[in-house]
Amino acid sequence: ALQIEIQHLLSDLNRRNQQLESFKGIGQAKFRNKSRRMSSRIAWAGSNDGKLRIDLLAASGHPVASLSNDGQFLYVLSHFDERFYKKRTRNANLRQFFNMPIKTTDLITLLGGRVPVVEHDFAELKSEPKAKGFVIVLKKYWHGTVEKIHLDETKTEVKSVELLRSNELMFRINFAGNLIVDQFQIPKTVQVTNGDTIHFQLTIDRYWVNPMLSSQLFVLQPPDSRRG
């Protein structure tokens, strides 16, 4: 009976916002590590087919830096000093930007109001009396625990998610608050941390569901070609 309950809970998580195929939003991003802190207005757009674009905005609203993955290439453009970078990859690892092994698909999942559920061989459900809730523990036979999904006491709200490799924490995702946009539930604030010194937090101010997005939006051009 417990395994049936676990499968129901995981199915509910996998179905969450399934009809949300594209999105865009504006909000506030904060980043800090041991040596620096940064905050910026941020705009983003993405879709479930692996496309994502993020723009850091100046006070004027103009982009300062842009990062995009169109499903074939990762593009990075600094508008300030016109540096441009392009690399072939379908699902970019963004460690160099976040200091954590976050991939494009992880961000698309989070920005789409979904919860990552990684591949696993079996799952356990445990109560967490101190936290007044429950945790779903996902495990692989040769790799130990690969994910922990912390639920509230009703088992309907996800409070946080931990992703692990070799039983070591890669990063933790904390969710706070909710926005309801056209029947879709989106977290108001998402925080990603390595559990120690690195924290990235996104607070959503405005959010659009299933907008029409041109594929060209996700293709960044080098500065010299845009002049011509």
Side-chain angles (χ1 to χ4, degrees):
L2 184 60
Q3 281 303 312
I4 292 172
E5 182 184 10
I6 293 169
Q7 290 310 312
H8 278 312
L9 290 169
L10 291 174
S11 294
D12 286 345
L13 291 177
N14 281 321
R15 281 199 303 267
R16 184 171 291 191
N17 289 355
Q18 217 171 30
Q19 305 303 313
L20 180 54
E21 296 177 0
S22 64
F23 52 81
K24 63 179 184 176
I26 295 175
Q28 187 76 25
K30 294 180 179 178
F31 177 83
R32 66 181 168 89
N33 59 18
K34 275 182 179 173
S35 58
R36 66 190 176 103
R37 290 169 176 260
M38 185 190 92
S39 66
S40 171
R41 296 287 291 160
I42 186 171
W44 63 90
S47 57
N48 289 350
D49 55 359
K51 296 184 176 73
L52 178 69
R53 175 169 174 163
I54 297 173
D55 292 291
L56 297 181
L57 306 176
S60 64
H62 292 105
V64 176
S66 302
L67 178 151
S68 187
N69 202 168
D70 66 354
Q72 289 184 298
F73 292 94
L74 171 69
Y75 307 86
V76 183
L77 175 60
S78 169
H79 302 271
F80 179 68
D81 55 12
E82 298 197 335
R83 281 186 300 168
F84 179 77
Y85 170 86
K86 179 179 176 181
K87 176 185 176 184
R88 182 177 286 278
T89 174
R90 289 183 60 190
N91 183 20
N93 188 326
L94 305 176
R95 182 191 287 272
Q96 66 198 91
F97 307 104
F98 293 97
N99 297 125
M100 290 177 277
I102 298 173
K103 293 192 170 184
T104 302
T105 49
D106 295 326
L107 288 181
I108 291 171
T109 297
L110 296 177
L111 292 171
R114 290 183 289 274
V115 175
V117 178
V118 301
E119 284 185 27
H120 57 280
D121 295 316
F122 61 100
E124 299 170 348
L125 179 65
K126 300 177 179 179
S127 66
E128 291 188 302
K130 282 186 180 175
K132 293 185 179 176
F134 296 84
V135 58
I136 302 173
V137 182
L138 305 182
K139 296 184 175 183
K140 294 197 86 166
Y141 289 122
W142 303 110
H143 302 283
T145 300
V146 288
E147 183 173 2
K148 294 180 181 179
I149 303 170
H150 298 271
L151 306 170
D152 70 353
E153 51 202 343
T154 68
K155 302 177 190 165
T156 56
E157 289 285 327
V158 178
K159 297 191 289 187
S160 65
V161 172
E162 295 169 65
L163 292 166
L164 303 97
R165 181 181 293 149
S166 304
N167 291 318
E168 292 284 317
L169 180 70
M170 291 194 295
F171 53 90
R172 179 187 296 118
I173 306 156
N174 299 314
F175 303 98
N178 281 311
L179 298 171
I180 305 295
V181 187
D182 292 353
Q183 98 254 4
F184 295 105
Q185 184 174 306
I186 311 295
K188 172 71 175 169
T189 300
V190 177
Q191 183 194 65
V192 185
T193 172
N194 70 345
D196 183 19
T197 54
I198 300 164
H199 299 268
F200 172 77
Q201 181 174 300
L202 174 66
T203 301
I204 296 173
D205 293 330
R206 297 190 67 192
Y207 193 95
W208 292 265
V209 302
N210 290 327
M212 293 288 288
L213 299 174
S214 161
S215 59
Q216 286 304 303
L217 177 69
F218 303 99
V219 179
L220 300 183
Q221 301 291 346
D224 49 1
S225 72
R226 289 181 301 150
R227 286 196 193 97

